[in-house]
Amino acid sequence: MAERRLKATAAEGDNEMDVGIEGVGESEELDLRLSIGQWGWSGASSSLGRRSSWLSPFELTVGSSNCPEDLGFGSRLEQNPGEEITEEMEGVELDGSDFHPAERISSDDMDRDAQHKRAKILFDEEAQLIPTPFFADETAALPAIENYIDSHPLDSSGSQMMDYCHNINADAVRSSKLSDGSQNDGGETDTGNVDNSENRMDLTEDLLHLVFSFLSQRDLCKAGATCKQWQAASMHENFWSCLNLEDAEVTLENCMLPTCHSHFYEVLLCLETLYLGKGQLGDGFFQALTDCPALNSLSIYDTSFGNGIQEISVHHDRLHELKIVKCRVLRVAIRCPQLQTLVLKRTSMAHALLSCPQLDELDLSSCHKLSDAGIRSAATSCPLLTSLDLAFCSCTSDETLREIALACPNICVLDASYCPNISLESVKLPMLTNLKLHNCHGITSASLCAISHSRMLKALQLDNCSLLTSVSLDLPHLRSISLVHCRKFLDLNLRSQVLSDVKVSNCSLLQRISIVSDALKKLVLQKQESLANLLLQCHNLQEVDLSDCESLTNSVCEIFSDGGSCPMLKVLVLDNCESLTVVRLNSYSLVSISLVGCRAMNVLDLSCPNLLKINLDGCDHLKEASLCPVGLEYLNLGICPKLNALQIEAPKMSVLELKGCGMLSQASISCPSLTSLDASFCRQFTDDSLSSTAASCPQIESLILSSCLSIANDGLSSLHWLQYLTQLDLSYTFLMNLQPVFDSCCQLLILKLSACKYLGDSSLNALYNGGALPALRELDLSYSSIGQAAIVDLLAYCRNLVNVNLNGCANLHKLAWGSREFQSTGKKIGPTLSNLLPLGNGDISCSKSDHLLEFLNCTGCPHLKKVVIPSTACCFRLTKLNLNLSANLKEVDLACPNLSSLNLSNCSSLEILKLDCPRLTNLQLSACSMLSEAAVEAAISGCCISEPPNVHSSTRVRLLQRITGT
């Protein structure tokens, strides 16, 4: 062993370290000296502070140790000139490694180190190394390092930090020599000392530790080969607490031989945790474990063993944890008196001999080749066993479990999943707290009788137990139970005041559930198609999900109402419970209820003052709904087409949608905060319902009564209660008189009268003759029967309108400002061009009065032939004009200075187009086949169109060439 030790000599002239190994070439020596990768260490993270990010499940963790430099890991102990190492110091112990007096530091070495002003390392009373700061102000030097670290991100090799360390050292050496007065007369330093000083690169221990903490372990090895002080700093215990040996070729020759690498052998003396994975171990690996007296935890994963007989014999006096996972081995013999945890998971062994009197946890899961007798022998030899995992050990029998229960009376955790031969009928485990029995086809209701004797049981898992028909447990400590895919399961009866987790799903035959618990807060019982009886006494239950429980009856509502057994319930989900016909809930605590897909429900009665959310999608047969009171802010009942009676009392509701409730005839709506009501297509919505709603909901701003065919003058007269009404939609109604609207809704901004076929020309007289609705900005008369004269007067005198829709008006023939029709009253329309003034954004406006009209839509007017808007019409704000699909339109003459968009698509009869619209940018002329190319070119000559209008391709190409001048 001594012949193969590392030999280190320090030359006084150049201070170079010459390391040699007998029998190894120079290049191999250097690689071996600078890299521990050959010794089985893998490169890892470049930052100690982030080492948790690269730790794999199988690593080598080296125990804390300050290894003495006489073994090659640290620098020699320094002392002041003239000091001697006393006898008391000779026997001092450094973290388990003795300081040997035979390897005392020579006086020459001490003198040489003193010349270079190295950091002194002294012994305190407790024999700890105390570094003496090299810099006069160490606290001032530390922030400099930290600032450099913050401003210079390290590369993967850590070379930047090492270069910076060299620079700091050189500056420090020069400053120290100047302070000593060593500069000669010629201004040059003593060359004989400079070389040694620069090579030594002295720094305080704290600074080196700070710098080295940013290096990877491979770089630490290289740094340690620089000098003795760096070697000592690089071997600090914090840097070598974690090493990764996964996927490394670990053998006795390259890792465990102390004769080759004595300093690494000293590390092994302090080794506490070792992780090996996906490699190969030599024959003597387990024998060499005795060289690691401090080893506490050993984990081996997916590893092959070098010996042909594939036997493992582990003997260690201090080992507490041993994991051999997914390894190929025939026989295992373990004798570890202090072992507490043993994992042999997925190991192909056929025999296991254990001598571990202190063993607490044993994992034999997926050991398919281990016989029933082998399992029995292994487990019964550990009397203090508390946790046993036998999952996927298909040979396990009830007899083995009985003997284990007798030999190990303290077993608390048992996993016997996928063991088809066990029933547990005669097995008693009084201390059991956690039992897993997944896919145990021998478990029946009789097995549950035996389990009920485990009064300490806290967790029970019975998933996929195909023969289980009923579970009845009264266990005071039971906290969780899981029953999934139990195909013959019929009855569940649980009583435990601490029960907090119940998982029952896909038990298609389950008919009855009874649960008593004060700790249960959430209950999910989805897809229990046969569940008809539910009894709950859970005073802290807050959330229940009974989705797809098709057999639940109306009586389930009694459980969740006040006075029932769930007074704290907040969320109730009854989706697709198709047997529910009447849902009546009276709950002060309920916040959310979902009844999606309850197609058989025809009566809904909710008295839940704190209810904030309700979902009724798919409730197609709901006829009566009473929500008094509820805390809802929004409600959509339009998805209930058969609803005929509605009563709502909701103080916080702001939006109510009844769109599509075509059979709603009785409605009592008391929502004082309601701002929007949509009753579209409520054809039987009567005047009485509208009057009562208007009186009890005075804050309504938007009222949509489209297709409410039963609304008449009485209902419209009640709108005077709505002082904030700004939008009213009466489209598709049979109204003949709008006077109640003009009298009651003077603050209207939007009025929609689309498709009101019974409105005559006189219906709008109050708008343009009587000054009604002075605040009106948008008017929709699309598809109405309003005549030509009424439209002309409307456009001429209702100058406050901003948006006018005349789509599909069959009585509109000509739209021509300045014509005789527009001057029928003898009044002139607007000022002359001399009165025009520019607006702030460059638009042209009128100094006195002009139209506020911005959008005019006349799409699909079948008899419209001519549209003329001269400058005298004062339509200076008009920006968009839509005449699409007006098939008989022949002439368009516009002088609108701010018009930007004009749509004349599908005006197939258009022949004349004159445009005085300097701001026009978008012109649509698709299918205007009668319009010549010359007419288009002349029309757009005064516009700012950058691209040709949307016409057929050949004309478009020529127009583009003329516009661009190409």
Side-chain angles (χ1 to χ4, degrees):
M1 293 174 61
E3 292 180 357
R4 300 191 63 182
R5 285 198 172 208
L6 293 174
K7 300 177 181 179
T9 60
E12 294 182 1
D14 55 2
N15 195 32
E16 295 179 352
M17 180 177 292
D18 185 12
V19 181
I21 301 179
E22 295 182 10
V24 182
E26 293 182 358
S27 60
E28 295 179 355
E29 286 183 12
L30 181 61
D31 186 68
L32 186 60
R33 181 178 60 191
L34 297 182
S35 176
I36 304 184
Q38 284 185 335
W39 305 341
W41 301 6
S42 62
S45 174
S46 62
S47 174
L48 180 66
R50 297 188 297 271
R51 64 175 179 265
S52 60
S53 62
W54 57 266
L55 292 181
S56 66
F58 302 94
E59 299 163 333
L60 171 64
T61 303
V62 181
S64 61
S65 173
N66 285 332
C67 298
E69 72 280 3
D70 59 279
L71 294 177
F73 257 69
S75 60
R76 295 183 178 182
L77 299 176
E78 301 292 338
Q79 66 175 161
N80 292 325
E83 285 188 13
E84 295 183 357
I85 301 178
T86 62
E87 294 180 359
E88 290 79 1
M89 296 169 59
E90 292 177 359
V92 81
E93 185 172 294
L94 295 176
D95 294 339
S97 300
D98 294 336
F99 179 81
H100 301 285
E103 299 187 15
R104 292 185 180 179
I105 303 170
S106 66
S107 60
D108 293 339
D109 291 339
M110 290 189 292
D111 293 340
R112 182 168 59 252
D113 293 342
Q115 292 176 2
H116 301 314
K117 297 186 180 295
R118 294 192 54 201
K120 306 179 187 67
I121 302 178
L122 305 178
F123 284 108
D124 63 0
E125 296 178 357
E126 298 180 358
Q128 297 293 328
L129 291 176
I130 305 177
T132 302
F134 174 78
F135 295 106
D137 187 1
E138 182 181 359
T139 59
L142 285 173
I145 300 286
E146 295 172 351
N147 292 336
Y148 181 86
I149 292 170
D150 294 337
S151 59
H152 294 74
L154 294 174
D155 57 10
S156 59
S157 64
S159 59
Q160 296 177 359
M161 185 55 64
M162 295 177 65
D163 294 340
Y164 181 64
C165 186
H166 280 270
N167 296 334
I168 291 179
N169 179 75
D171 294 341
V173 171
R174 286 194 293 270
S175 62
S176 66
K177 284 190 169 293
L178 290 174
S179 64
D180 292 342
S182 59
Q183 187 176 4
N184 58 21
D185 295 338
E188 296 180 358
T189 58
D190 188 359
T191 58
N193 294 331
V194 168
D195 293 340
N196 289 339
S197 298
E198 291 180 352
N199 288 334
R200 294 194 62 82
M201 294 177 285
D202 292 334
L203 289 173
T204 64
E205 296 294 335
D206 289 341
L207 286 175
L208 282 176
H209 292 164
L210 177 60
V211 172
F212 285 4
S213 66
F214 288 86
L215 300 180
S216 68
Q217 291 166 339
R218 184 177 295 274
D219 291 328
L220 283 171
C221 297
K222 296 179 181 179
T226 304
C227 66
K228 289 185 290 184
Q229 186 190 22
W230 281 34
Q231 186 183 37
S234 66
M235 293 310 302
H236 192 275
E237 60 186 23
N238 291 340
F239 304 151
W240 303 104
S241 59
C242 298
L243 293 177
N244 187 353
L245 287 182
E246 188 176 4
D247 296 319
E249 188 70 19
V250 182
T251 64
L252 190 65
E253 288 75 12
N254 66 9
C255 181
M256 304 298 292
L257 281 180
T259 57
C260 291
H261 313 294
S262 58
H263 58 291
F264 187 68
Y265 175 68
E266 296 300 328
V267 172
L268 294 181
L269 293 177
C270 303
L271 185 64
E272 295 181 358
T273 303
L274 177 61
Y275 291 91
L276 303 173
K278 297 183 180 180
Q280 185 172 1
L281 293 179
D283 297 343
F285 175 80
F286 291 100
Q287 288 79 3
L289 289 178
T290 56
D291 294 332
C292 305
L295 188 64
N296 181 273
S297 176
L298 173 62
S299 297
I300 305 174
Y301 172 77
D302 195 12
T303 301
S304 299
F305 301 100
N307 54 342
I309 58 176
Q310 292 187 345
E311 291 188 0
I312 295 178
S313 180
V314 183
H315 303 278
H316 201 283
D317 293 336
R318 297 189 59 183
L319 196 63
H320 284 74
E321 182 181 25
L322 176 60
K323 296 182 179 180
I324 302 175
V325 179
K326 198 181 178 182
C327 294
R328 291 157 295 283
V329 62
L330 181 62
R331 182 182 178 88
V332 174
I334 300 173
R335 183 177 60 82
C336 300
Q338 301 296 326
L339 193 65
Q340 296 180 358
T341 301
L342 176 59
V343 177
L344 299 174
K345 183 177 183 179
R346 300 174 67 185
T347 301
S348 60
M349 60 187 177
H351 304 281
L353 178 62
L354 305 182
S355 179
C356 308
Q358 300 296 323
L359 193 64
D360 178 78
E361 179 182 350
L362 177 60
D363 187 349
L364 299 174
S365 58
S366 300
C367 294
H368 302 291
K369 295 184 179 181
L370 192 61
S371 65
D372 187 35
I375 295 173
R376 185 187 316 164
S377 175
T380 54
S381 63
C382 307
L384 299 183
L385 202 62
T386 62
S387 177
L388 179 60
D389 191 344
L390 300 176
F392 293 94
C393 293
S394 56
C395 297
T396 306
S397 64
D398 282 341
E399 182 180 356
T400 293
L401 292 180
R402 281 195 298 270
E403 293 195 17
I404 293 175
L406 293 175
C408 308
N410 296 320
I411 288 184
C412 298
V413 179
L414 175 61
D415 188 349
S417 301
Y418 295 89
C419 295
N421 298 324
I422 65 171
S423 64
L424 295 181
E425 293 184 10
S426 58
V427 179
K428 294 184 179 180
L429 296 167
M431 302 302 295
L432 197 63
T433 60
N434 191 334
L435 179 59
K436 296 181 180 179
L437 298 172
H438 297 281
N439 284 81
C440 292
H441 301 302
I443 298 298
T444 63
S445 299
S447 304
L448 271 295
C449 295
I451 294 174
S452 63
H453 290 93
S454 300
R455 303 293 295 174
M456 304 300 295
L457 192 63
K458 296 181 180 179
L460 178 61
Q461 299 183 22
L462 297 168
D463 298 350
N464 291 288
C465 293
S466 57
L467 298 180
L468 189 63
T469 58
S470 64
V471 173
S472 181
L473 295 174
D474 185 359
L475 298 174
H477 301 285
L478 186 63
R479 296 181 180 273
S480 66
I481 186 171
S482 177
L483 293 157
V484 179
H485 290 289
C486 296
R487 292 175 293 179
K488 296 184 179 181
F489 192 44
L490 299 174
D491 189 8
L492 175 62
N493 188 355
L494 299 175
R495 180 181 292 271
S496 174
Q497 297 303 323
V498 297
L499 185 64
S500 58
D501 184 13
V502 177
K503 184 178 181 180
V504 179
S505 65
N506 297 103
C507 299
S508 57
L509 299 181
L510 182 60
Q511 300 177 3
R512 183 180 180 276
I513 294 179
S514 176
I515 300 176
V516 178
S517 172
D518 286 339
L520 188 62
K521 293 185 177 180
K522 182 177 181 179
L523 179 62
V524 178
L525 299 171
Q526 297 179 350
K527 296 183 180 181
Q528 308 306 317
E529 296 89 347
S530 302
L531 182 62
N533 299 315
L534 181 63
L535 300 175
L536 300 177
Q537 293 184 17
C538 307
H539 294 89
N540 290 304
L541 189 61
Q542 297 183 8
E543 184 174 349
V544 175
D545 188 349
L546 297 170
S547 300
D548 299 291
C549 294
E550 301 174 357
S551 300
L552 279 178
T553 61
N554 299 331
S555 60
V556 71
C557 299
E558 300 176 1
I559 301 173
F560 305 119
S561 296
D562 290 341
S565 53
C566 303
M568 302 297 293
L569 186 66
K570 293 183 178 180
V571 179
L572 178 60
V573 180
L574 296 171
D575 294 349
N576 301 312
C577 295
E578 298 185 358
S579 296
L580 294 178
T581 57
V582 178
V583 176
R584 285 193 172 92
L585 288 172
N586 178 16
S587 174
Y588 186 82
S589 61
L590 194 63
V591 174
S592 173
I593 182 172
S594 179
L595 296 165
V596 175
C598 294
R599 302 185 183 279
M601 182 179 63
N602 52 61
V603 176
L604 176 63
D605 187 357
L606 300 179
S607 179
C608 307
N610 292 311
L611 186 65
L612 299 178
K613 182 179 180 181
I614 183 172
N615 194 341
L616 298 172
D617 289 346
C619 298
D620 301 337
H621 294 81
L622 183 63
K623 296 180 179 180
E624 300 179 10
S626 175
L627 309 175
C628 301
V630 291
L632 295 169
E633 297 181 0
Y634 168 81
L635 178 61
N636 183 3
L637 292 174
I639 52 181
C640 305
K642 296 185 178 181
L643 185 67
N644 56 43
L646 174 64
Q647 184 177 3
I648 299 179
E649 181 182 339
K652 299 180 180 179
M653 185 174 292
S654 59
V655 178
L656 176 60
E657 295 189 16
L658 303 175
K659 184 177 182 179
C661 297
M663 301 181 67
L664 182 62
S665 59
Q666 303 175 13
S668 175
I669 303 173
S670 178
C671 305
S673 300
L674 193 66
T675 59
S676 176
L677 174 61
D678 186 351
S680 304
F681 302 98
C682 295
R683 294 180 175 85
Q684 299 185 21
F685 195 71
T686 62
D687 287 346
D688 293 338
S689 298
L690 179 59
S691 299
S692 63
T693 300
S696 58
C697 306
Q699 303 293 325
I700 291 180
E701 299 175 4
S702 174
L703 179 60
I704 301 177
L705 299 174
S706 177
S707 299
C708 293
L709 305 181
S710 299
I711 297 296
N713 292 342
D714 293 340
L716 295 179
S717 298
S718 66
L719 298 182
H720 71 276
W721 294 102
L722 307 179
Q723 297 299 315
Y724 300 96
L725 186 64
T726 58
Q727 178 178 352
L728 178 61
D729 189 349
L730 297 173
S731 301
Y732 296 92
T733 58
F734 296 155
L735 294 175
M736 301 175 60
N737 184 10
L738 294 176
Q739 193 60 41
V741 176
F742 298 149
D743 296 338
S744 304
C745 309
C746 59
Q747 70 282 357
L748 271 184
L749 296 176
I750 301 173
L751 177 60
K752 296 184 179 182
L753 302 171
S754 178
C756 293
K757 300 294 185 179
Y758 294 94
L759 288 179
D761 292 352
S762 61
S763 301
L764 301 178
N765 285 341
L767 285 178
Y768 48 82
N769 287 333
L773 306 181
L776 192 65
R777 293 294 181 267
E778 180 177 343
L779 179 62
D780 189 352
L781 294 173
S782 300
Y783 306 101
S784 65
S785 57
I786 301 296
Q788 170 78 21
I791 293 175
V792 168
D793 290 339
L794 183 69
L795 294 176
Y797 301 117
C798 293
R799 295 172 176 265
N800 57 328
L801 292 176
V802 175
N803 190 343
V804 176
N805 292 323
L806 300 173
N807 302 320
C809 289
N811 295 327
L812 182 61
H813 300 277
K814 182 170 61 175
L815 187 61
W817 271 276
S819 63
R820 182 173 303 175
E821 292 86 350
F822 272 79
Q823 296 181 0
S824 60
T825 59
K827 297 181 181 180
K828 291 185 177 181
I829 308 302
T832 61
L833 287 177
S834 61
N835 294 327
L836 301 180
L837 295 175
L839 295 176
N841 59 357
D843 296 346
I844 300 177
S845 183
C846 179
S847 61
K848 295 181 181 179
S849 63
D850 63 345
H851 272 288
L852 300 180
L853 187 64
E854 296 181 10
F855 306 101
L856 179 60
N857 295 310
C858 299
T859 301
C861 295
H863 300 106
L864 182 62
K865 296 181 179 180
K866 183 177 182 180
V867 176
V868 178
I869 304 179
S871 59
T872 55
C874 299
C875 293
F876 304 115
R877 296 180 183 269
L878 186 63
T879 59
K880 183 177 180 180
L881 178 59
N882 191 350
L883 300 171
N884 183 25
L885 296 172
S886 297
N888 290 314
L889 184 62
K890 294 183 178 181
E891 179 181 353
V892 174
D893 187 354
L894 305 177
C896 303
N898 288 310
L899 188 67
S900 61
S901 177
L902 175 61
N903 190 348
L904 295 171
S905 299
N906 301 293
C907 296
S908 55
S909 300
L910 184 63
E911 298 177 354
I912 301 173
L913 178 61
K914 298 179 181 180
L915 300 177
D916 185 6
C917 306
R919 292 183 176 273
L920 186 64
T921 58
N922 184 10
L923 177 60
Q924 301 293 325
L925 294 173
S926 298
C928 294
S929 56
M930 301 294 293
L931 194 62
S932 65
E933 180 179 331
V936 174
E937 182 180 358
I940 65 175
S941 60
C943 304
C944 62
I945 297 177
S946 58
E947 294 185 2
N950 187 10
V951 295
H952 51 83
S953 57
S954 59
T955 303
R956 179 180 175 85
V957 172
R958 289 191 293 271
L959 289 175
L960 178 60
Q961 293 174 349
R962 295 179 183 179
I963 291 174
T964 59
T966 60

